[in-house]
Structure formats: structure tokens, C-alpha cells
Amino acid sequence: MVPHLVTALTGPINELEQRVLDSMPAIERWFRLEWMEHTPPFYSAVDVRNAGFKLAPVDTDLFPGGWNNLTPSMLPLAVQAAMAAIEKICPEARNLLIVPENNTRNTFYLSNLAQLRRIFHMAGLNVRIGSISPDVKKSTVIELPGGESITLEPVVRTKGRLGVKDFDPCTILLNTDLSAGVPGILEDLHEQYLLPPLHAAWATRRKSTHFKCYEEVSKRFGKLIGVDPWLINPMFDKCESVDCGSPAGLDALTSRVDAMLTKVKKKYKEYGIKEKPFVIVKADNSSSGMGIMTVRDAKELATLRGTMAGKTSLQGPCELIIQEGVLTNERMNDAVAEPVVYMMDRYVVGGFYRVHAERGVDESLNAPGSSYVPLAFAESTHLPQPGIKPGASAPNRFYMYGVIGRLAMLAASYELEATDPEAEQYS
């Protein structure tokens, strides 16, 4: 099923689509060479926003849930990618342990675990799900909608290795972003592969580091295909040690937001864009508990002061990222939508539209009340169609989403290399 797109298949984005399609051989070769030099994240999901005049990633998740949103037709691609990923890391792998989030009573999330188990089982691995939650004290079977079930088992650590009863895995897959911190039970493992690595967790990861790497990737890619990198890159600024509750901190933030809005306005003027610019202010990591704020005028921050204080669990200084807001021009049945691209190893394996009927085009859609409609990445009959008029082919648009997703994934590989504590030891 190909979702029906409204408005997004028209406008300046078509010129970018045409350039991407014309450059397909060069793009695929470029990615191939990059992956000879860099290791892709084990798996990732990228939120993409199509403004009609630019197409850019706004968030990259290195511990993606939501695998249950992939349709059955997407599974063969995911299984093949899982095989490739495991083969590179541990060719003789037999046992895989999935470590989920501690709060695992959400049936939607548990269905995601069942889908991951299915993918790796079909890739030739024995798969168990081991919880590090202190609340999981015995093996627990949980029934899921549709008749399926999963078994949560308490993790056991012996001789520096992690497993569950009578099960010793060579590979451990984290499906929790560890935003509350890295528990000691996951540290200093003996001859076991932990994927993704601990420094990918939100306890240490920063959005600003990722988008700095993405900025570098977008410049190189823009040069490759001859486009302004801004068309695929959201500008950003990092705001360190801001006390959201103090007048001085608020003044500093207001100044930085105003400067970012001015930069965006300049670009809008350059391209004749009539939309009103906005920026997104959010925590630089994902563990502060601070919400995402849409700001169209720096003066709004004065009225937001109380709101900001209420949206952050931090007392005193906090790290913020000020990101150029990217509208979403996508619609599904009149509801605002954004594509989410799912990848494993270096391959796009599927995706879906995140749809929210109660959110605006300039707001985050990753919120309670969102729903999910599959993208047609894996339909064999929906491969890109060079020569088709830009905007007339949904598969061409999906290919472009996949390119942007892979650019963000490449940026994540740069990011993980740059922040690897072991690499720093030997540099």
C-alpha cells in the first residue's frame, strides 16, 4: 500500500528529487565508499521532515522501538540486513539476548520486541529477551494482541558475562536508550558484543554532536550532487549551561534564538519562501525531561519562562540545542504526518508515517495520540523510477527519504567514532 500524499508531491522539493535521482549511481557509490571507512550503527531510525522546499532529518534514534510498524513485506529486507550485520560482528553467532526498556508493560512496545525477536530468529539466531529491571524477578510470559506472546526473563551476570538462565549469548542487543544512566550490570563485559555501544546511550550522547556530524555529511553530499546543503540540513546552535529559571539565562537563550531565526529568515528570503520561520528549543540530551518548544519570535521566550521551568526536571544549568524548525508538508487524511526511516546495518529496511491529527505542521509529532501508517520502502514493484516526472512517483519520494535517512545514519557513525572512549584512550 502506498500512502496518499497531499501537497508534498509538488513544489521546489521536486528539483531536489530530480537531482537525487539523476545522481543515483554517484550517490550509491559514495555511500559504498563511506561504509568501507566507517562502521554504520547496528540499527537506527530517522525522523524526516519534508517542508516542500527542504527535506531534512530532525532526530536520529540509535535504539529504535516501533519495529512492529514494519509490514510483513518489509521483513525479508530486515532479515537480510540483520544477517549482514551479525555476519560482520560475530559470524559464528548463535545466541542473541535482547535487553528491553525497564518499563515494558506497554503492549505496543512489547509487540516491537516480538518483531525484533522474529527478525533475528529468521536471521538464524536463538533469541531470548532479558530484562535488567529489578522488578523482573522470574520468567514472565506476556500475552500480546493478536495471539502472540513474549517471555521476559531476569538477566543473570556471571564471570563478567550477561545472559539468562541456561543461555549464554555472544551478542547483546540493547533496545533501551539508557537515558537514566548506564547500569553497572552492562559495563565491563567479557568477550560479548554489546550493540549499540554504551556511549550511544543518552546518558552521554548529545544531539548537537550528532547534528555537527550531519552538517559535515550534508556539505560533502551537497557538493557531490550540486545542491545547497541547507536544502537537506537543519541549522542549529548549541546553548551550554543555561539556567532556564534565571533572567540572565533567559536573556542568553533569547539572544541565541533571535540569531538563529535571523539566519533562517535570510535563507527563506534567498529562496523566496513565504512561510514564517521558527526554531525548536529542546534538551541537548534526552534525559533531562524537558519538553520540545516551538518558538517563532524570540520575545515569546519571556512568556515561556514559567513553561520552560515546568518542562525541565533540571535545577540550574542545562544544555540546550536550538534547531531550525522544519515544517512538515505531508498529510494523511488531513492529519499532519512525517516519514520515519528504519535502517539496520547500512540498509534501509522500511519505515512508516507518524501521523498526528491534533498537531500542527511546526510541532513535534512524536507525542501521545500519534498513529502509524507503513511506507512502501520494501515493495519490490515500487523501486525508484528514473525518468518519471518529479513529484509523480511516490517510490521516487521514498528513495529520497531513504537517502536522507542514510545520511543521518552516516552522521551517527561519525558521531560514535568521535565519542568512542576506547578510541580516545589510544589516540
Side-chain angles (χ1 to χ4, degrees), residues 95-143:
N95 295 338
L96 174 79
L97 182 70
I98 299 175
V99 175
E101 293 176 2
N102 282 353
N103 181 20
T104 51
R105 294 299 166 181
N106 180 322
T107 55
F108 185 84
Y109 176 73
L110 294 171
S111 297
N112 149 74
L113 294 178
Q115 182 83 305
L116 278 173
R117 180 186 62 188
R118 182 180 298 111
I119 289 168
F120 288 105
H121 177 75
M122 292 169 74
L125 293 166
N126 301 314
V127 185
R128 304 271 279 272
I129 300 171
S131 175
I132 58 175
S133 169
D135 298 332
V136 179
K137 294 182 169 62
K138 63 179 182 178
S139 182
T140 307
V141 177
I142 303 172
E143 301 296 329

Side-chain angles (χ1 to χ4, degrees), residues 279-291:
V279 300
I280 300 295
V281 180
K282 53 189 174 182
D284 201 12
N285 63 10
S286 277
S287 60
S288 74
M290 179 177 149

Side-chain angles (χ1 to χ4, degrees), residues 253-295:
L253 180 60
T254 300
S255 174
R256 303 287 273 274
V257 166
D258 196 43
M260 179 57 67
L261 283 168
T262 300
K263 286 173 73 175
V264 179
K265 283 173 188 169
K266 187 177 176 185
K267 274 294 184 183
Y268 277 24
K269 187 176 180 182
E270 179 185 336
Y271 282 91
I273 295 161
K274 305 300 183 190
E275 303 285 352
K276 186 173 176 60
F278 66 100
V279 300
I280 300 295
V281 180
K282 53 189 174 182
D284 201 12
N285 63 10
S286 277
S287 60
S288 74
M290 179 177 149
I292 296 171
M293 291 169 292
T294 301
V295 183

Side-chain angles (χ1 to χ4, degrees), residues 6 30 33 85 103 153 163 170 190 194 201 228 243 269 280 306 323 339 341 344 350 356:
V6 186
W30 184 77
L33 295 177
N103 181 20
E153 303 177 69
C170 84
H190 180 62
L194 190 64
D228 179 353
D243 186 347
K269 187 176 180 182
I280 300 295
Q323 192 175 54
V341 180
M344 191 171 290
H356 205 302

Side-chain angles (χ1 to χ4, degrees), residues 7-242:
T7 65
L9 290 174
T10 60
I13 201 75
N14 288 346
E15 296 169 27
L16 178 61
E17 180 183 308
Q18 188 65 61
R19 191 62 63 94
V20 167
L21 290 170
D22 290 346
S23 307
M24 194 186 296
I27 289 170
E28 296 305 325
R29 178 178 183 272
W30 184 77
F31 274 124
R32 191 164 64 245
L33 295 177
E34 286 291 325
W35 296 130
M36 289 172 68
E37 299 290 331
H38 305 281
T39 303
F42 187 78
Y43 58 2
S44 53
V46 177
D47 296 354
V48 179
R49 305 276 286 209
N50 177 358
F53 52 84
K54 76 182 289 179
L55 183 73
V58 294
D59 195 32
T60 301
D61 187 354
L62 299 182
F63 300 86
W67 288 89
N68 50 312
N69 288 315
L70 301 194
T71 60
S73 61
M74 295 175 185
L75 282 188
L77 263 182
V79 171
Q80 288 176 337
M83 285 177 174
I86 291 291
E87 193 175 310
K88 282 196 301 191
I89 293 158
C90 184
E92 67 279 7
R94 179 179 296 145
N95 295 338
L96 174 79
L97 182 70
I98 299 175
V99 175
E101 293 176 2
N102 282 353
N103 181 20
T104 51
R105 294 299 166 181
N106 180 322
T107 55
F108 185 84
Y109 176 73
L110 294 171
S111 297
N112 149 74
L113 294 178
Q115 182 83 305
L116 278 173
R117 180 186 62 188
R118 182 180 298 111
I119 289 168
F120 288 105
H121 177 75
M122 292 169 74
L125 293 166
N126 301 314
V127 185
R128 304 271 279 272
I129 300 171
S131 175
I132 58 175
S133 169
D135 298 332
V136 179
K137 294 182 169 62
K138 63 179 182 178
S139 182
T140 307
V141 177
I142 303 172
E143 301 296 329
L144 300 176
E148 213 174 3
S149 69
I150 66 165
T151 304
L152 281 182
E153 303 177 69
V155 156
V156 178
R157 178 156 174 158
T158 50
K159 297 179 181 175
R161 290 177 71 86
L162 216 59
V164 294
K165 188 179 179 185
D166 301 324
F167 187 79
D168 184 36
C170 84
T171 306
I172 296 157
L173 180 65
L174 296 177
N175 196 238
T176 169
D177 62 16
L178 303 174
S179 56
V182 175
I185 196 170
L186 296 176
E187 295 179 326
D188 303 318
L189 296 178
H190 180 62
E191 294 182 354
Q192 283 180 311
Y193 295 94
L194 190 64
L195 303 169
L198 291 178
H199 67 280
W202 277 122
T204 52
R205 191 177 175 223
R206 295 293 178 268
K207 293 183 175 79
S208 56
T209 306
H210 175 74
F211 281 102
K212 183 68 180 169
C213 293
Y214 184 80
E215 187 175 62
E216 180 188 339
V217 167
S218 66
K219 283 177 182 174
R220 294 179 53 222
F221 183 79
K223 188 175 181 182
L224 175 76
I225 69 169
V227 301
D228 179 353
W230 178 76
L231 294 172
I232 56 170
N233 178 41
M235 295 187 288
F236 78 96
D237 188 16
K238 182 179 180 180
C239 214
E240 294 183 85
S241 299
V242 176

